[in-house]
Amino acid sequence: MAASIQSVVKLLEATLDATTNKEATNTLQSQETNAGFSLLLLQIIASNGYPQMSRNLAAIYFKNFLRRNWVDVDGNHLLSSSEIGTIKRELLGLMLAAPQGIQAQIGEAISVIAESDFWERWDTLTDDFVSRLTPNDAALNNAILQVAHSIYRRWRPLYRSDKLFTEINHVAGKFCAPLLTLFANTDQMIEGNQKNADELKKYFETLILVIQVFHDISCQDLPPGFEDNLRPITTLLLKYLTYDNPLLHTSDDTEVGILERVKAEICDVLILYVQKYEDAINLLLGDFITSSWTLLTTIGPETKYDIMVSKALQFLTAITHMIEHAQKFNSEEVMGQVVERVILPNISLRESDVEIFEDEPFEFIRKDLEGSDGDTRRRAATDFLRQLMEKLDGLTTKVVSNYINHYLTDYAGNPQANWKSKDTAVYLFSSIAAKGVVTASQGVTATNPYVNVVEFFEKNLAEDLISDQVYPILKVDAIKFLYQFRGQMTKPQWHDVFPLLIKHLASSNYVVYSYVAIAVERLLVLTNESKEPILTKQDVMPMAKDLLEHLFHLIEKNPASESVQENEYLMKCVMRVLFVIKQGVSTIAPIILAHLVTITKVISGNPSNPRFYYYLFEAIGAFIKFTERSQVQIISDSFVGPFADIITHNVEEFVPYVLQIYALLLEVSPPQTLPSFYEQLMQVILSPKPWEKRGNTPALVRLLSAMVTKASSLMVNNTQVEPILGIFQKLVSSKASEAQAFDLLECIICNFPASALEKYFVVMFNIILTRLQNSKTETFSQRFVRFYHLMAARDKEGLGADAVVKITDQIQDNLFAGLYTSVILQETQKFVKPFDRKIAVVSFTKTLADSNAFAVKYKKGWSHTCEALLKLMENPPVPTATEDILPDKDFEDLSFGASFTQLNTCRKPVQDFWPEVTDVKKWVALYLKDANNRHNGMINTFVGERLSEEAKHVLLSYMQ
C-alpha cells in the first residue's frame, strides 16, 4: 500500500508540471476504478508525512474524483458500499483536523456527497455536525457551519413539497437547539473579547454563519424550536444590527467589513420572517424598524456599505407591505423625510457610480439594468419607493413630484454643472411612474394614473436623444426610459423614435450603445394588445443592413476573444434582428455570413461568456433557417472549418451547439442526399466516445435522427441499424436519457423498413419491458405508450397492433393482454399534448378496424379499445398549426453550461404523422365505415355484440 501511495503522490506532483501534466492526469484517471483508490487519497490528505502541497493536491483531486465517481446520472452509487461507508465516517473528522486550505476542499467534497445522499442516505451527517460543535472554538465551529450552510442553503429557492419538508424537519429537530446555544455562546465570547480584534473577527464569522444556517432552516417553514424562542433570538439580532466596534471598521471605503456583512445577513433574515411569518414576528418589529431607519439616515455613501444599505431598504420595503406599518408614512411631513433622508441619498449618483460608468461600463450595466441580481442602493431605494406608491400612491406622487420638479429646475439653470440633478429627477419619475408587474417582453405594463409617461419623455428626455451636447449618462437615462416604458408608447411614436435609437449605435460610449442594443432587442419583441408586433419585418428591413453592420462592428472592434464575447447584449440584438427579418436575411446574406463565421472563429478556442455564444449560435440557426435553400451549401462550407476545429479539439461548451447546427443544416439540405462530410461524421457518432459526456446526448440524438431521416437506405446498406439500436439501448437504460431514447426509437421505426428491424424487435421490447417493470418513471411510461401507438398506427408499413402482439408473445405467452389493459389503456388517457392524443386516436381506430388479434383473440380488448377511443373523442385532439415561427421568448431564465441548452432555431418541430387527418371525428367515422364495408359488416357486428348500449349509441352516432 505504501508503494501505491507514493506512486500516487508522485503523479499528483507531476500534474503541476506542464510537460508531464497530461500523462500524469491520464494515469491517475486510469487508476480511479481501482478498489480503494479514494481511501488512498484520504490517507495522503491525512498524513503529516507528505508535503503540504501534495496533501492539497490530493484533497483537490479527491473532491473532483467524487464529482465524477460518486453517483451515476440516475443517482446510483458507483463505489463499493464499504468504501462509501468509510468515506462518510471519516470525512468530517479529517476536515476538522486538516489545515485550512485542505479543510476548504474537504468541505466541498462533503457537499458533493450531500447533493445526492443527504439526507436519506446520510442521515447521520447532521448528528455529526452537532456533536462536534464547541462552546468557544471559533475555527472548528466555523468549519462545521460553513459545510452545513453549503448543504442547507439549497433549500431556499425550492418549491414546497412533502419530501423537502421531511428533510428540513429532520435537520431542524436535531440542529435548532444546538444552533441557538451556539448563538448565545458566540454572543458571550464577543462580549469577552471587545478589545481583541483578531478574536472578535473569528467570532463574528461564527455569528454570520449562525445567522445563515438559521435562515436556511427557516426558509420554508417556521420550526417550533425557533418559534418558541423568537424573543431571545430577535433580541440578539437587534443587538448586532445596532452593534459597533471601531476594531471591526475597515479603512478602505470599498472593502466590505465584517460588521456590514453581519447587518446585511440580519436584514435578510428579517425580510424572510416579515414575508413568511408575519403573525409570529409582527409584535417584535418596532425596534428593528427604528434601528433600520437610524442606520439608513446616518450611514455614509461609501460603497462598502452598499449591500447593507440595500438589505435595510429591502427590509423596509417588506415592512411597507403590511398596511399598519405603511400607514406610519401617511403624512406629507413623514413622506418628505423618507424621500429627503432615505430615498434621495440612495438614488442619487455618487462619484463612485460615475467612475464605474467610465471605467467599468459592463459592470455599470449589470448593476443598473432592471431585473438584474445586483444589491444596489438605487435598486433597493426604487423598490421601496414603488412599495410606498402601492400603498399611498396619491401622497407619494405629490411629495416625489415636488422633488422631481426641483431637480429639473436645478438642471435647467446650469445643464453642464447640474447634469446629475436631471439624472436624479429621471430616476425618481421612473420609480413612481411604474406600477404592477414589469415583464421581460412588455416592460412596465401599468403606470401611475397621476403622471403622464409619454409627456414626461417628450418634454424632458427626447431632446437628449437628439442633442450631441449631453452628458452620456443622460443619454443612457433617456434610452433606459424608453426601454422601461416601451409598452406605453404607440406604434407611430415608435416609428419616430426607432431611427434615433439606432443612430446611437454609432456612439463611442460603451454604456450608450449597449443600452441601445438592449432597448432595440426588447422593442423587437414588443406586441400590442392583439399580440401583433409593434415593429414588423417591413418596418425593420429598410434599416436592417445598417443596424446589423453597426452591431457586428461593435462586437468585432477589439479582436481579442474575451473582448468579442464580453458584450452579450450586442449579440442578443443581432439574434433578435434575424428573428424579425426572417427571409429578409437573404438580401444581405453574404455580409451576415462573413461576420458570423468570423466571430465563431475568434471565440472558438476560448469560450468565456455562455450567454454570448448561446445568442451567437441562435443567430447562426436563424440565419440558416431563413436563408434561401440554394445558399445552404455555401453556409455549410463556410462553417466547416471553425466547426471542425471545435469538434476536433472537443471544445465542450460549443460541441452541443455545433451538433444542433449540423442537424439543422442537414435538414435544410436537398432531400434524399447525405453530404460526404456527414458520412464521415456518422462514423464518429456511432462510436461510444461522443456519448460519454451527458451534455452531448440530446444534441447527438438530434443529429443522428436527422441523419436517419435523410439517409436510412444508406444506413441499412452499410449495416448501421444495429449500432444505432445499441445507442438506443444505452440511452433507455438511464432515467436521464430515456426521453432521448424514445425520440431516437420513433425516428428509427418511422424511417427504417420493418424488414430491417424485424430481427431486433423482440430484444428491443424485452429491454423496454424490463425497464417498465423494474424502474419505470412517468416519462418512461408515457413515452413507451406513445411509441406503442406509433407502431400500432403504422399498419400499412408492416407494423400495426398485430405485429406488437406477435413480438410480445415471443417474449412471454399472452404478455400483451396484461400490458395493454394495465399500462397502454391507462396511460393513454393521461396524454395531454394534441399530437400524442392524435396518434392514439389513429392507433385505436386502426386496431378496431383491422386487427385480427383484437377481432378474434382479445374480444374484450376490442371493446376496451373502443371505450378508450370514445373517451379521447369526447375532447378530440386539435393540434395547433405548425407554422415555422420562432418563439419571441425571453432567454433570461435559461441555465447555461449546466448540461445542455436547446437552441430554439434548431428545435425539431413537433411532427404530425398524419397531417391529412384534419377533422379527427370525421376521419374516425369514415375509416370505421370503410373498414365495415371491407370486412362485410364486421364492425357493426362487433358493435352490437361487444359494446354497452351507451358506447354503442355514441360510436354509431359518429358513423352515421
Side-chain angles (χ1 to χ4, degrees):
M1 178 66 79
S4 298
I5 291 178
Q6 193 59 44
S7 66
V8 171
V9 170
K10 287 182 178 179
L11 287 169
L12 289 168
E13 292 171 347
T15 61
L16 295 176
D17 187 335
T19 61
T20 56
N21 172 274
K22 188 172 183 179
E23 182 181 354
T25 299
N26 289 338
T27 304
L28 282 167
Q29 289 181 349
S30 70
Q31 295 183 13
E32 288 183 0
T33 54
N34 295 344
F37 178 77
S38 63
L39 303 182
L40 188 146
L41 290 171
L42 288 184
Q43 286 183 276
I44 298 170
I45 296 166
S47 174
N48 292 322
Y50 295 105
Q52 183 72 23
M53 178 59 72
S54 301
R55 296 172 67 193
N56 278 334
L57 289 169
I60 294 168
Y61 197 93
F62 176 76
K63 174 190 69 179
N64 293 327
F65 166 84
L66 291 184
R67 285 186 173 140
R68 293 190 295 271
N69 298 288
W70 187 256
V71 291
D72 63 17
V73 293
D74 294 324
N76 302 310
H77 285 139
L78 296 173
L79 303 180
S80 69
S81 57
S82 61
E83 200 167 342
I84 289 168
T86 301
I87 290 171
K88 288 181 177 178
R89 282 193 306 274
E90 302 296 331
L91 206 52
L92 185 59
L94 176 58
M95 182 194 81
L96 297 175
Q100 192 169 4
I102 294 176
Q103 204 172 71
Q105 298 299 328
I106 299 300
E108 289 184 41
I110 293 172
S111 297
V112 170
I113 296 172
E115 280 181 27
S116 61
D117 284 25
F118 187 78
W119 70 284
E120 291 176 322
R121 294 193 294 192
W122 200 1
D123 59 359
T124 59
L125 181 60
T126 299
D127 292 314
D128 288 346
F129 288 156
V130 170
S131 67
R132 295 172 190 268
L133 291 172
T134 71
N136 54 13
D137 188 337
L140 187 146
N141 291 336
N142 292 351
I144 294 169
L145 292 173
Q146 186 65 58
V147 178
H149 174 52
S150 72
I151 296 169
Y152 303 155
R153 68 184 173 193
R154 64 186 173 83
W155 298 331
R156 296 191 186 188
L158 299 181
Y159 290 109
R160 297 164 68 96
S161 68
D162 291 344
K163 184 177 180 181
L164 175 61
F165 274 50
T166 301
E167 181 176 327
I168 296 175
N169 288 337
H170 163 80
V171 172
K174 298 172 183 292
F175 215 145
C176 282
L179 188 70
L180 297 183
T181 300
L182 181 58
F183 197 176
N185 289 341
T186 303
D187 174 53
Q188 292 174 15
M189 298 308 297
I190 289 172
E191 286 295 332
N193 288 275
Q194 293 291 335
K195 297 182 180 180
N196 186 332
D198 291 338
E199 290 299 308
L200 267 182
K201 288 176 183 176
K202 291 179 186 176
Y203 288 114
F204 262 82
E205 286 293 346
T206 307
L207 187 61
I208 288 173
L209 287 163
V210 166
I211 295 169
Q212 287 175 332
V213 174
F214 175 81
H215 188 149
D216 298 334
I217 298 174
S218 304
C219 67
Q220 294 285 344
D221 199 12
L222 181 55
F226 291 163
E227 186 173 12
D228 295 342
N229 292 280
L230 263 187
R231 187 166 292 279
I233 291 170
T234 54
T235 298
L236 284 176
L237 290 175
L238 181 62
K239 174 180 178 178
Y240 288 102
L241 184 62
T242 58
Y243 181 91
D244 193 24
N245 188 325
L247 292 178
L248 299 179
H249 292 181
T250 57
S251 56
D252 187 341
D253 288 348
T254 62
E255 181 188 355
V256 180
I258 200 162
L259 272 178
E260 290 78 56
R261 290 169 55 208
V262 166
K263 293 178 182 184
E265 292 293 343
I266 290 171
C267 288
D268 228 8
V269 165
L270 292 173
I271 294 164
L272 171 73
Y273 270 68
V274 168
Q275 291 175 341
K276 293 183 74 76
Y277 316 120
E278 177 186 334
D279 292 343
I281 201 171
N282 194 16
L283 296 177
L284 303 172
L285 289 174
D287 289 339
F288 286 106
I289 297 171
T290 303
S291 299
S292 299
W293 175 266
T294 302
L295 185 152
L296 288 169
T297 54
T298 57
I299 208 71
E302 293 82 3
T303 56
K304 66 181 178 181
Y305 301 126
D306 283 3
I307 294 178
M308 179 184 69
V309 169
S310 174
K311 294 295 184 184
L313 283 165
Q314 289 174 36
F315 168 61
L316 288 184
T317 304
I319 286 291
T320 313
H321 273 277
M322 301 157 69
I323 191 64
E324 66 267 34
H325 293 297
Q327 286 302 317
K328 294 174 183 177
F329 302 102
N330 193 10
S331 77
E332 267 193 60
E333 181 183 356
V334 174
M335 187 65 74
Q337 289 183 31
V338 170
V339 175
E340 187 83 37
R341 301 181 64 187
V342 174
I343 301 298
L344 289 175
N346 293 300
I347 214 168
S348 300
L349 273 178
R350 300 167 296 177
E351 283 305 314
S352 58
D353 298 321
V354 178
E355 288 173 9
I356 293 175
F357 180 89
E358 294 172 347
D359 301 334
E360 300 178 69
F362 195 81
E363 180 66 10
F364 180 91
I365 297 168
R366 188 191 67 80
K367 288 184 174 182
D368 185 61
L369 191 61
E370 186 81 27
S372 69
D373 296 328
D375 285 322
T376 66
R377 294 191 185 212
R378 276 192 150 187
R379 173 81 25 71
T382 297
D383 290 342
F384 180 36
L385 193 51
R386 285 181 178 171
Q387 185 55 41
L388 290 171
M389 275 291 306
E390 288 293 318
K391 300 296 183 183
L392 307 164
D393 56 351
L395 174 63
T396 306
T397 303
K398 179 180 178 182
V399 172
V400 174
S401 293
N402 291 334
Y403 285 96
I404 293 170
N405 293 331
H406 164 76
Y407 282 110
L408 288 175
T409 302
D410 188 51
Y411 168 75
N414 191 340
Q416 290 298 316
N418 299 335
W419 64 268
K420 288 183 183 178
S421 293
K422 185 170 185 179
D423 174 81
T424 301
V426 174
Y427 252 84
L428 284 172
F429 183 87
S430 299
S431 299
I432 65 168
K435 292 195 75 174
V437 178
V438 179
T439 68
S441 60
Q442 302 293 106
V444 173
T445 54
T447 57
N448 181 349
Y450 299 107
V451 299
N452 187 318
V453 169
V454 175
E455 182 183 83
F456 184 84
F457 174 80
E458 291 173 343
K459 285 186 175 180
N460 301 292
L461 300 178
E463 61 189 12
D464 294 338
L465 287 180
I466 300 169
S467 173
D468 294 328
Q469 307 301 314
V470 175
Y471 195 82
I473 286 182
L474 295 184
K475 281 194 177 293
V476 170
D477 287 344
I479 296 166
K480 184 181 176 184
F481 190 92
L482 288 173
Y483 160 76
Q484 289 175 309
F485 295 100
R486 56 190 179 275
Q488 313 308 312
M489 306 276 283
T490 65
K491 183 163 185 167
Q493 288 168 334
W494 271 120
H495 275 270
D496 293 338
V497 171
F498 191 58
L500 287 176
L501 269 181
I502 294 177
K503 185 188 77 169
H504 284 83
L505 284 173
S507 170
S508 60
N509 186 278
Y510 188 102
V511 182
V512 171
Y513 65 66
S514 297
Y515 253 114
V516 171
I518 292 165
V520 168
E521 191 276 330
R522 289 290 84 188
L523 174 57
L524 295 180
V525 178
L526 188 64
T527 59
N528 60 22
E529 293 178 355
S530 303
K531 302 301 180 183
E532 298 166 335
I534 294 296
L535 291 181
T536 64
K537 172 185 174 182
Q538 290 70 30
D539 298 322
V540 177
M541 270 309 299
M543 296 172 270
K545 180 174 179 291
D546 289 342
L547 174 55
L548 287 168
E549 286 191 323
H550 272 308
L551 291 166
F552 282 128
H553 168 74
L554 292 169
I555 292 169
E556 298 170 17
K557 69 177 182 177
N558 186 333
S561 176
E562 294 86 351
S563 299
V564 167
Q565 297 175 72
E566 180 186 54
N567 198 324
E568 66 208 45
Y569 306 113
L570 297 173
M571 195 68 241
K572 189 177 183 182
C573 191
V574 168
M575 174 198 75
R576 187 64 65 188
V577 172
L578 298 182
F579 280 14
V580 170
I581 66 174
K582 294 183 169 62
Q583 284 75 16
V585 300
S586 295
T587 62
I588 46 177
I591 296 171
I592 299 172
L593 178 60
H595 286 295
L596 293 176
V597 170
T598 297
I599 295 168
T600 305
K601 286 179 178 177
V602 170
I603 72 171
S604 62
N606 184 27
S608 60
N609 184 347
R611 289 186 178 278
F612 180 92
Y613 52 75
Y614 168 77
Y615 299 137
L616 168 65
F617 282 105
E618 284 284 20
I620 294 171
F623 178 67
I624 294 167
K625 205 172 185 72
F626 295 129
T627 305
E628 291 177 0
R629 294 294 170 259
S630 60
Q631 301 299 306
V632 169
Q633 191 59 51
I634 295 173
I635 297 171
S636 187
D637 292 344
S638 299
F639 279 109
V640 70
F643 282 2
D645 286 344
I646 288 166
I647 298 293
T648 302
H649 294 101
N650 193 25
V651 184
E652 291 185 357
E653 297 88 343
F654 286 179
V655 167
Y657 291 132
V658 169
L659 295 173
Q660 292 177 77
I661 295 292
Y662 274 146
L664 180 61
L665 278 168
L666 183 58
E667 287 171 345
V668 299
S669 64
Q672 304 306 316
T673 62
L674 189 69
S676 58
F677 168 76
Y678 284 89
E679 293 189 39
Q680 301 166 22
L681 189 59
M682 190 187 302
Q683 300 302 321
V684 177
I685 289 177
L686 294 181
S687 65
K689 191 165 183 60
W691 301 88
E692 291 174 0
K693 183 169 173 55
R694 179 181 170 188
N696 289 344
T697 298
L700 284 167
V701 170
R702 175 80 178 86
L703 177 55
L704 182 54
S705 298
M707 290 176 167
V708 169
T709 303
K710 185 71 73 170
S712 57
S713 299
L714 177 66
M715 291 178 169
V716 171
N717 294 337
N718 291 344
T719 64
Q720 291 171 324
V721 174
E722 191 165 315
I724 294 171
L725 287 170
I727 291 170
F728 160 76
Q729 182 176 0
K730 173 182 171 63
L731 296 178
V732 83
S733 66
S734 169
K735 295 174 185 176
S737 54
E738 60 192 17
Q740 286 86 39
F742 280 105
D743 287 342
L744 181 59
L745 189 58
E746 288 183 7
C747 181
I748 288 169
I749 66 161
C750 288
N751 290 282
F752 288 131
S755 57
L757 299 172
E758 191 172 9
K759 63 181 178 180
Y760 303 109
F761 277 139
V762 172
V763 175
M764 184 193 305
F765 268 83
N766 216 341
I767 292 167
I768 293 172
L769 296 179
T770 301
R771 256 294 313 264
L772 193 67
Q773 182 176 7
N774 296 334
S775 57
K776 70 177 180 180
T777 63
E778 185 68 23
T779 297
F780 188 92
S781 299
Q782 288 271 294
R783 291 304 303 268
F784 162 67
V785 173
R786 176 187 148 102
F787 167 68
Y788 162 79
H789 284 304
L790 195 56
M791 275 196 74
R794 294 179 67 80
D795 56 339
K796 299 292 193 297
E797 290 83 4
L799 301 174
D802 287 352
V804 180
V805 171
K806 180 181 177 182
I807 293 164
T808 54
D809 279 353
Q810 290 179 64
I811 297 172
Q812 180 183 317
D813 189 42
N814 209 32
L815 173 62
F816 182 80
L819 179 67
Y820 191 73
T821 55
S822 62
V823 178
I824 293 170
L825 290 177
Q826 292 185 25
E827 290 294 329
T828 299
Q829 299 304 327
K830 298 178 186 177
F831 283 176
V832 175
K833 297 177 181 177
F835 283 115
D836 292 354
R837 291 167 61 82
K838 184 176 180 181
I839 294 169
V841 167
V842 175
S843 161
F844 282 152
T845 304
K846 290 191 173 186
T847 297
L848 294 173
D850 295 308
S851 168
N852 183 64
F854 278 78
V856 178
K857 186 176 181 180
Y858 299 120
K859 295 181 180 180
K860 286 187 177 180
W862 197 96
S863 61
H864 292 327
T865 301
C866 190
E867 289 165 2
L869 173 63
L870 294 177
K871 282 184 182 178
L872 287 175
M873 297 289 283
E874 288 174 6
N875 181 23
V878 183
T880 53
T882 56
E883 186 182 355
D884 193 15
I885 297 178
L886 292 168
D888 286 329
K889 64 172 287 181
D890 186 60
F891 299 90
E892 300 310 314
D893 295 330
L894 290 171
S895 130
F896 296 97
S899 54
F900 170 77
T901 304
Q902 171 74 55
L903 292 174
N904 282 285
T905 49
C906 299
R907 189 185 299 273
K908 189 174 182 179
V910 178
Q911 187 173 356
D912 185 353
F913 295 99
W914 289 274
E916 70 278 8
V917 179
T918 53
D919 185 326
V920 176
K921 284 187 176 183
K922 184 176 180 181
W923 178 85
V924 169
L926 290 173
Y927 200 91
L928 291 178
K929 285 170 70 174
D930 179 64
N932 190 56
N933 293 333
R934 283 188 283 110
H935 298 303
N936 300 317
M938 183 185 71
I939 304 298
N940 282 341
T941 301
F942 288 169
V943 168
E945 294 175 349
R946 302 181 181 181
L947 296 185
S948 66
E949 288 300 319
E950 183 182 358
K952 189 187 306 181
H953 173 75
V954 174
L955 183 61
L956 290 176
S957 71
Y958 290 149
M959 296 176 62
Q960 294 301 319

